[in-house]
Amino acid sequence: MSRLAGVLPGEAAYEALAARAEIVAMTQATHDAALKSREPGGLSHAERAALASRIARLNADPGLAAHYDALMREASASADVERIADPSFKGSGRIGALIAYTDLASTAPKDAGPEDIEALKQVGIGDADIVRLAELNAFLAYQIRLIAGLKLMRGEG
């Protein structure tokens, strides 16, 4: 987390993180569960990383997007999956539904409703994968806000 926020030893933000080591460890565990789950279900590790990169870009965090781009490469993402990370790409079918839900959840979550879940089901995305997608979006919302707070402590932003 400190690396993604650019936090250096000796800074107040670094000390704040050090004093909350348990929360930092839980954040890392949640990151790993959301991105590198042992049981990815119908949402591959590469797709998760691509969606996370997209969310980072939608939230104007290029450093976080680069982190998730690296995870995409680590997961051997195909060129088709890599396109998910581009916010201008809308896709179609299953990928289009995953993107539409992710874009809505990450930019206007209060506008999400039952019809958005139904749209995912209509393209064959099961309940467990919908939960996985929601967990990914929720983690990214937390992570982006945490990094933004750390950057503010550093005088950035």
Side-chain angles (χ1 to χ4, degrees):
M1 190 62 56
S2 57
R3 181 180 54 79
L4 292 171
V7 174
L8 301 172
E11 295 180 345
Y14 185 87
E15 298 305 321
L17 287 172
R20 294 160 181 84
E22 186 175 321
I23 293 172
V24 171
M26 288 189 290
T27 298
Q28 184 62 47
T30 304
H31 169 277
D32 294 347
L35 276 298
K36 300 177 176 181
S37 173
R38 279 184 251 165
E39 296 182 29
L43 200 56
S44 74
H45 291 163
E47 289 172 331
R48 292 169 191 237
L51 289 165
S53 179
R54 181 183 188 91
I55 294 167
R57 285 183 170 82
L58 289 170
N59 284 277
D61 192 329
L64 190 58
H67 167 73
Y68 288 117
D69 288 348
L71 284 185
M72 273 195 304
R73 289 189 293 277
E74 182 182 305
S76 301
S78 68
D80 286 342
V81 169
E82 287 181 2
R83 292 179 70 197
I84 294 171
D86 178 355
S88 68
F89 177 67
K90 300 302 177 195
S92 62
R94 177 183 169 277
I95 294 297
L98 290 170
I99 288 171
Y101 178 83
T102 295
D103 287 0
L104 181 63
S106 62
T107 61
K110 66 178 178 26
D111 296 336
E115 66 277 7
D116 300 302
I117 301 301
E118 189 58 36
L120 292 167
K121 291 181 177 180
Q122 290 295 316
V123 294
I125 299 172
D127 290 342
D129 289 331
I130 292 170
V131 170
R132 290 178 180 104
L133 180 61
E135 289 171 342
L136 177 67
N137 276 279
F139 173 72
L140 264 290
Y142 162 75
Q143 185 181 42
I144 287 167
R145 282 154 187 78
L146 179 59
I147 290 170
L150 291 168
K151 287 180 177 177
L152 282 174
M153 289 179 72
R154 298 186 71 233
E156 298 178 26

